[in-house]
Amino acid sequence: MSLEFEICPGRKIGGNNPCFIIAEIGQNHQGDIEIAKKMIKMVKDCGADCAKFQKSELEYKFNKRALERPYSSKNSWGKTYGEHKRHLEFSHEQYRELQKYAKEVGIFFTASGMDEMAVEFLHELDVPFFKVGSGDTNNFPYLEKTAQKKRPMVVSSGMQSMETMRRVYQTVKKHNQNFCILQCTSAYPLEPEDVNLRVIAEYQKEFPDIPIGYSGHESGICITVGAVALGAKVVERHVTLDKTWKGSDHEASLLPEELAELVKSIRIVERALGTGVKQMLPCEKACHDKLGKSVVAKTAIPKGTALTADMLGVKVAEPKGVAPEDIYLLLGKTVKANVGEDESITEDLVESYAKEVKS
């Protein structure tokens, strides 16, 4: 069983704990703190466990030329990429305001630290766990510094190879036992043939002592539900209030009704996963009583006769007799009374049958 750990106060992941559902608001708030609050309330109402944002300290995430380059995309909020990113970036004080609001609403709050200084701020903010976005998964100095802070970590694996993920595992594990890895493909929106859910099973084999999860950018909810059926202990999906809004993430994001349906479907699948122990369940008794078959006599069998295979058949019978799977246990046993043709062979009719079955 995968290691379990407390990802947020009072909330464990891994093992038999419910899947932890992260609603990635990211920067789909359009740079408007009131929209951000509305989205926090929305994801809480939909049943998600955590509202997550993306925090950058832009001068540490981008070099000067990247910030100064012209940005004329349809998604642009400014003439340069720096102006665009500054429009979408909340201040430290605004983050404190959002954190306070999430607490009032009653949902866990965190963010992806998109650079080392952003991680420092989030650490100071006392978020319950750090999210490492795929763009920093192979950033080993960043990973090491983040892991050393000893907060739980959720690490996405988009754009990475298994070889890199083995290094990621070793790097984080050296400093921090409480982390999980998410299968992820970094495309927006993501086509089903590129999802590669089977990587979840490969991660489970490669890293058996940590929980494995899934971060999805596909349309709809069925693939994410499938990930949970395959054992994902954490799932993350982008959310939006309007897929037509400006921004590259909206198209791959879930609307409120989709998020609510995802949460509902995940909880149903979790109930359906069961224990893994195969046995007849109490709920099956009615069907068994109606349709379950028993061993019957193909012909009249006089008292004292030793049973042979050609004397026995299997039918739905009244009263219930010996179960079909035990028919071969009857061979060679003698009957203690006359048995009529087509009558049930019950345990009490067979010499030593019950005693032998118990042993």
Side-chain angles (χ1 to χ4, degrees):
M1 183 181 293
S2 297
L3 170 75
E4 61 177 30
F5 63 86
E6 191 172 76
I7 191 168
C8 293
R11 181 65 160 86
K12 289 184 176 181
I13 62 166
N16 291 321
N17 295 291
C19 179
F20 189 75
I21 302 171
I22 301 171
E24 165 73 290
I25 294 169
Q27 294 192 320
N28 280 354
H29 47 67
Q30 311 296 87
D32 185 322
I33 195 163
E34 293 308 316
I35 291 176
K37 287 180 180 179
K38 186 176 181 181
M39 294 183 78
I40 289 172
K41 180 67 163 58
M42 178 271 287
V43 300
K44 165 65 178 176
D45 291 344
C46 289
D49 294 296
C50 181
K52 189 180 83 65
F53 290 79
Q54 295 173 4
K55 183 71 186 99
S56 300
E57 302 292 349
L58 296 178
E59 285 70 25
Y60 289 89
K61 182 179 178 182
F62 301 98
N63 74 1
K64 226 171 170 183
R65 287 186 66 179
L67 290 173
E68 290 173 352
R69 74 176 168 87
Y71 191 55
S72 56
S73 158
K74 65 177 183 178
N75 294 317
S76 175
W77 293 95
K79 293 179 181 178
T80 66
Y81 196 63
E83 286 180 13
H84 165 75
K85 295 302 289 185
R86 287 186 190 96
H87 173 84
L88 293 170
E89 196 63 47
F90 289 140
S91 68
H92 289 192
E93 196 50 47
Q94 286 174 314
Y95 259 85
R96 292 187 182 94
E97 186 179 341
L98 291 173
Q99 183 186 48
K100 181 183 175 186
Y101 180 75
K103 188 174 182 181
E104 291 169 2
V105 166
I107 190 168
F108 295 119
F109 172 91
T110 195
S112 299
M114 309 298 277
D115 55 80
E116 289 179 21
M117 290 307 294
V119 171
E120 291 296 332
F121 166 66
L122 294 171
H123 186 53
E124 175 195 327
L125 198 63
D126 198 24
V127 295
F129 68 94
F130 292 130
K131 169 66 197 299
V132 178
S134 294
D136 279 304
T137 298
N138 62 350
N139 181 351
F140 288 97
Y142 166 102
L143 274 184
E144 198 134 21
K145 289 177 183 176
T146 303
Q148 285 170 352
K149 296 191 181 303
K150 307 295 185 184
R151 291 187 188 273
M153 293 170 64
V154 175
V155 184
S156 276
S157 61
M159 304 177 286
Q160 312 303 329
S161 66
M162 183 63 85
E163 182 182 352
T164 298
M165 294 314 297
R166 291 188 190 107
R167 285 185 62 197
V168 169
Y169 170 86
Q170 293 295 341
T171 300
V172 177
K173 190 80 172 176
K174 186 167 56 176
H175 304 288
N176 189 343
Q177 302 296 307
N178 296 334
F179 69 103
C180 68
I181 289 173
L182 310 185
Q183 162 56 0
C184 177
T185 302
S186 297
Y188 305 78
L190 175 61
E191 295 301 320
E193 54 268 28
D194 294 323
V195 172
N196 211 356
L197 284 182
R198 286 194 174 101
V199 173
I200 292 172
E202 294 306 307
Y203 281 163
Q204 288 165 339
K205 286 188 281 187
E206 285 280 341
F207 316 122
D209 58 344
I210 64 170
I212 301 301
Y214 174 69
S215 176
H217 304 121
E218 71 278 2
S219 299
I221 69 168
C222 63
I223 289 171
T224 303
V225 175
V228 175
L230 288 173
K233 301 299 183 182
V234 175
V235 297
E236 177 186 71
R237 289 296 305 271
H238 287 256
V239 296
T240 185
L241 296 178
D242 188 336
K243 292 189 182 189
T244 67
W245 276 356
K246 188 187 295 188
S248 56
D249 287 347
H250 292 286
E251 192 179 348
S253 299
L254 298 178
L255 292 166
E257 58 268 27
E258 292 176 303
L259 177 61
E261 186 60 31
L262 175 65
V263 174
K264 178 183 173 184
S265 298
I266 286 173
R267 299 308 177 214
I268 290 171
V269 165
E270 287 176 329
R271 287 165 54 201
L273 286 172
T275 64
V277 176
K278 183 58 185 171
Q279 59 185 349
M280 189 172 79
L281 297 174
C283 65
E284 295 179 291
K285 186 177 184 305
C287 189
H288 177 263
D289 290 347
K290 182 179 179 182
L291 301 177
K293 294 186 175 182
S294 300
V295 178
V296 298
K298 279 187 177 178
T299 183
I301 305 172
K303 177 181 177 180
T305 303
L307 295 169
T308 58
D310 60 348
M311 298 176 185
L312 306 175
V314 174
K315 291 184 177 182
V316 176
E318 291 292 341
K320 289 288 181 189
V322 171
E325 67 262 29
D326 294 333
I327 192 169
Y328 298 120
L329 297 176
L330 297 172
L331 302 184
K333 303 286 192 304
T334 58
V335 292
K336 297 188 283 185
N338 292 330
V339 182
E341 182 182 347
D342 211 35
E343 287 187 0
S344 301
I345 306 289
T346 56
E347 292 183 18
D348 61 304
L349 283 174
V350 182
E351 196 74 46
S352 304
Y353 175 78
K355 183 178 179 182
E356 182 167 323
V357 170
K358 287 176 183 176
S359 66

